[in-house]
RNA sequence: GGCGGCUUAGCCAAGUGGUAAGGCAGAGGUCUGCAAAACCUCCAUUCUCCGGUUCAAAUCCGGAAGCCGCCUCCA
């Protein structure tokens, strides 16, 4: 089965063929580190994690770059409001961002270049664009000349000639040749305070779009395989990246563009004024673990809008329990007689899982295969028709697909006092003191420990 | 005004021509302390509506309704 992706640029599903055999170079638009990232941001990062992990599963060697935007209007404004340096301010939120990635089980990219560390590369690129007649300077500001790039608008399918000069164009940009031209470099002004770079093209700071072009080129070359991001970045950001990169290099920039759809909350785009705005930290504080959020953000196909609700999160918690209970209970299973069916069932899981993910990361289909497998193996187990070898084969398959899903919860050691309570409860049950036993169980639940009385004795797990 | 997407069971969600995956909820059952947890079984003659093409349509074509988004802050 060939691996197929929907390419936003051609608007068609295409077989994935890397530029270099067995290797994938991909770029992802990362966060602007001026606050805690919200769950909509993480929907995109989870999609990219699924893509990355599945490419690795398929045996590709990945070079993945995610930029950190640590300079822009918002970072400057908010750091000044706090009276701390831009660096101190963005370092705080960069650290928080990596903590959040860990919470969600998102695998690290190979490179996380920060914009402020790559101003030289951006300046070089701007100079090149000016030399080639693709950019011009007005009062220390540099703009990209869209008229010099005939393909502009091709990604977003916009006809620039038909665009109206809308009310949203800022009035202070009157000096541009065309309202559509975008800033590559912003000359220093008083509002920037001590935030500026002294460079060959003057004192100022880079625009947002140029950083992704300059940094992707530095780490991935002028032409690479996959560029991802949220749909809202398609225009103008990615359109501008194409214009800058191809304008500077005269070479195709990216082979496959992949965009993830929006996350909505209660059917609407998140906004602070609507009261439906959540950071990952808000969700964690409400008692959900990162892996539940991971499941929710991942379980709906990346090109479908995902409506976030707490009811949905509860349902996902249960589904995730089923996944983890299966692995845990199967690991504890002592094995029985083989019925000869298990190998076929396990093979079906792997085939189905791969066939679905090969089809533009059809995760819902893949999860359907996983839950089919869980039911089929549980049935054999209930009838004692699963041998030790078959059990291990099934577990190995689950571990294999979990390198992509990363849903499995390893049960770390529990505290001595919790252990003592579990022992006390077992004693209480022996002496038929069920009131005390239930009291202890409820107490442990508050601490996030769920107990299960099985024929082989008591089991515990952490609530996810 | 221009461009794009979506509408499948109570909720979430796969399925792009061959007769409706999966999860949650619900019902029944196994185990058990008439418990919890876990596990098993059942649960859409039908895919927003109206036409059309076809031996065959949730899937293709035309039309209607509703919802979401993009058109220079935005994952």
């Amino acid at each position: 089965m060939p691996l197929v992706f929907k390419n936003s640029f051609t608007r068609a599903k295409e077989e994935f063929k890397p530029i270099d055999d067995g290797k994938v170079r991909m770029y992802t638009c990362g966060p602007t580190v001026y606050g805690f990232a919200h769950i909509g941001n993480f929907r995109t990062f989870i999609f990219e994690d699924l893509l990355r992990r599945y490419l690795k599963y398929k045996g590709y060697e990945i070079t993945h770059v995610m930029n950190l935007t640590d300079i822009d209007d918002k970072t400057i404004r908010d750091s000044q409001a706090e009276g701390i340096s831009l660096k101190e301010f963005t370092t705080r939120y960069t650290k928080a961002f990596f903590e959040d990635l860990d919470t969600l089980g998102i695998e690290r990219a190979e490179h996380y270049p920060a914009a402020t560390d790559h101003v030289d590369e951006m300046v070089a690129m701007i100079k090149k664009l000016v030399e080639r007649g693709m950019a011009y300077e007005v009062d220390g500001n540099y703009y990209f000349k869209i008229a010099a790039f005939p393909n502009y608008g091709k990604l977003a399918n916009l006809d620039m000639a038909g665009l109206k000069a809308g009310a949203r164009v800022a009035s202070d940009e009157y000096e541009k040749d065309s309202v559509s031209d975008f800033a590559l470099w912003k000359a220093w002004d008083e509002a920037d305070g001590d935030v500026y770079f002294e460079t060959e093209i003057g004192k100022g700071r880079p625009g947002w779009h140029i950083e992704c072009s300059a940094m992707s080129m530095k780490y991935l070359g002028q032409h690479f395989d996959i560029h991802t991001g949220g749909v809202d970045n398609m225009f103008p950001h990615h359109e501008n990246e194409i214009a800058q990169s191809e304008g500077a290099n005269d070479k195709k920039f990216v082979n496959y563009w992949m965009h993830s759809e929006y996350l909505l909350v209660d059917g609407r785009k998140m906004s602070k004024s609507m009261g439906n705005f959540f950071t990952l930290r808000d969700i964690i504080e409400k008692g959900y673990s990162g892996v539940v959020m991971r499941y929710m953000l991942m379980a709906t196909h990346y090109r479908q809008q995902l409506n976030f609700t707490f009811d949905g999160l509860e349902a996902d918690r249960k589904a995730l329990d089923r996944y983890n209970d299966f692995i845990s209970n199967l690991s504890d299973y002592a094995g029985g007689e083989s019925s000869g069916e298990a190998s076929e069932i396990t093979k079906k899981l792997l085939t189905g899982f791969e066939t679905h993910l090969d089809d533009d990361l059809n995760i819902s289909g893949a999860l359907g295969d996983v839950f089919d497998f869980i039911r089929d193996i549980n049935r054999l187990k209930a009838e004692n028709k699963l041998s030790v070898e078959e059990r291990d084969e099934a577990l190995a398959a689950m571990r294999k697909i979990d390198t992509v899903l990363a849903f499995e919860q390893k049960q770390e050691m529990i505290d001595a006092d919790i252990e003592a309570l579990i022992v006390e409860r077992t004693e209480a049950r022996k002496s038929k003191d069920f009131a005390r036993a239930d009291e202890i169980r409820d107490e442990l639940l508050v601490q996030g420990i769920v107990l299960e009385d099985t024929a082989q004795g008591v089991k515990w797990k952490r609530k996810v």
Side-chain angles (χ1 to χ4, degrees), chain A residues 133-134 136 144-152 160 177-178 180-181:
Chain A
M134 313 290 294
Y136 57 93
F144 186 88
K145 190 183 186 68
I146 283 174
F149 191 73
N151 276 342
Y152 193 83
M160 297 315 288
D177 285 2
S178 157
S180 302
D181 289 352

Side-chain angles (χ1 to χ4, degrees), chain A residues 153-201:
Chain A
K154 220 173 157 197
L155 173 67
N157 198 24
L158 290 176
D159 176 10
M160 297 315 288
L163 273 190
K164 290 180 290 189
R168 295 177 69 182
V169 175
S171 57
D172 63 350
E173 292 178 354
Y174 62 90
E175 78 268 21
K176 295 192 292 188
D177 285 2
S178 157
V179 288
S180 302
D181 289 352
F182 58 91
L184 298 168
W185 183 263
K186 298 179 179 185
W188 179 84
D189 68 32
E190 287 180 12
D192 293 337
D194 61 356
V195 178
Y196 60 83
F197 296 86
E198 289 282 8
T199 73
E200 287 178 63
I201 60 172

Side-chain angles (χ1 to χ4, degrees), chain A residues 212-233:
Chain A
C212 285
S213 287
M215 295 193 283
S216 62
M217 191 164 88
K218 175 171 181 180
Y219 294 94
L220 299 173
Q222 296 180 353
H223 176 210
F224 57 92
D225 297 295
I226 304 175
H227 193 310
T228 62
V231 275
D232 51 333
N233 273 164

Side-chain angles (χ1 to χ4, degrees), chain A residues 286-299:
Chain A
K286 286 178 188 290
Y288 296 91
S289 61
V291 70
V292 177
M293 202 59 217
R294 176 182 179 85
Y295 186 98
M296 164 166 259
L297 294 176
M298 192 141 108

Side-chain angles (χ1 to χ4, degrees), chain A residues 157-320:
Chain A
N157 198 24
L158 290 176
D159 176 10
M160 297 315 288
L163 273 190
K164 290 180 290 189
R168 295 177 69 182
V169 175
S171 57
D172 63 350
E173 292 178 354
Y174 62 90
E175 78 268 21
K176 295 192 292 188
D177 285 2
S178 157
V179 288
S180 302
D181 289 352
F182 58 91
L184 298 168
W185 183 263
K186 298 179 179 185
W188 179 84
D189 68 32
E190 287 180 12
D192 293 337
D194 61 356
V195 178
Y196 60 83
F197 296 86
E198 289 282 8
T199 73
E200 287 178 63
I201 60 172
K203 175 178 176 178
R205 61 186 167 97
W208 176 41
H209 311 298
I210 194 72
E211 65 172 88
C212 285
S213 287
M215 295 193 283
S216 62
M217 191 164 88
K218 175 171 181 180
Y219 294 94
L220 299 173
Q222 296 180 353
H223 176 210
F224 57 92
D225 297 295
I226 304 175
H227 193 310
T228 62
V231 275
D232 51 333
N233 273 164
M234 208 159 149
F235 192 87
H237 185 55
H238 294 158
E239 196 71 63
N240 292 354
E241 278 187 59
I242 293 172
Q244 293 161 344
S245 303
E246 300 193 353
N249 302 328
D250 261 342
K251 205 180 261 186
K252 186 175 187 186
F253 178 43
V254 165
N255 280 355
Y256 303 88
W257 285 89
M258 296 175 77
H259 291 95
S260 63
E261 256 298 343
Y262 258 110
L263 173 133
L264 304 176
V265 175
D266 297 327
R268 300 197 164 272
K269 188 168 169 174
M270 273 194 287
S271 73
K272 285 179 180 164
S273 58
M274 290 276 301
N276 67 348
F277 184 94
F278 296 104
T279 64
L280 177 62
R281 283 149 197 258
D282 294 331
I283 306 298
I284 302 299
E285 271 173 31
K286 286 178 188 290
Y288 296 91
S289 61
V291 70
V292 177
M293 202 59 217
R294 176 182 179 85
Y295 186 98
M296 164 166 259
L297 294 176
M298 192 141 108
T300 295
H301 190 265
Y302 75 94
R303 285 190 289 104
Q304 288 294 326
Q305 288 183 350
L306 166 62
N307 186 28
F308 173 87
T309 63
F310 282 97
D311 284 347
L313 203 54
E314 278 299 336
D316 290 333
R317 165 137 72 190
K318 299 279 183 54
L320 191 62

Side-chain angles (χ1 to χ4, degrees), chain A residues 397-436:
Chain A
M398 283 300 283
R399 258 66 195 241
K400 187 174 182 198
I401 64 166
D402 199 67
T403 62
V404 176
L405 301 175
F407 292 156
E408 186 181 356
Q409 294 302 288
K410 304 279 192 295
Q411 300 294 352
E412 69 274 40
M413 298 303 290
I414 48 173
D415 300 340
D417 51 338
I418 289 176
E419 183 98 53
L421 279 173
I422 293 175
V423 172
E424 186 189 339
R425 177 170 171 277
T426 304
E427 293 304 318
R429 288 185 72 223
K430 267 184 198 160
S431 53
K432 307 273 184 211
D433 183 1
F434 297 119
R436 177 58 187 153

